[in-house]
Amino acid sequence: AINQRRKDTPTCGGFVAIACGNSHNVALRNDGTVVVWGGGECERDEPPTRAGFVAIACGDHHSVALHSDGTVVSWSDGVAHG
């Protein structure tokens, strides 16, 4: 088995959920913040920076996060895919 880690993979702890897109990853921390890595072009739009998120999900080229107040934040590579 190959044991390699991307240079941008978070090494801190406290994660409660993880989701993967086509070439990007999103993780939810126990403090309700979101961490994003990988993807290059999939990070064109900025992920949320506030705390209070309770769930995350990814598509091939986009990500979404559900906030505790019931709002949804989405971000993507900024390109329409069909």
Side-chain angles (χ1 to χ4, degrees):
I2 298 174
N3 186 12
Q4 294 180 326
R5 182 189 324 215
R6 288 179 52 108
K7 292 179 183 176
D8 58 350
T9 301
T11 57
C12 54
F15 294 102
V16 296
I18 189 167
C20 301
N22 186 39
S23 62
H24 70 290
N25 308 287
V26 178
L28 180 64
R29 299 199 58 174
N30 57 11
D31 64 359
T33 57
V34 174
V35 178
V36 178
W37 71 99
E41 290 298 311
C42 287
E43 295 181 35
R44 192 171 297 157
D45 287 348
E46 292 294 320
T49 57
R50 63 181 173 152
F53 289 94
V54 297
I56 54 171
C58 292
D60 282 347
H61 302 280
H62 71 283
S63 301
V64 294
L66 175 65
H67 197 267
S68 61
D69 67 6
T71 58
V72 174
V73 176
S74 64
W75 64 102
S76 71
D77 62 3
V79 177
H81 299 276

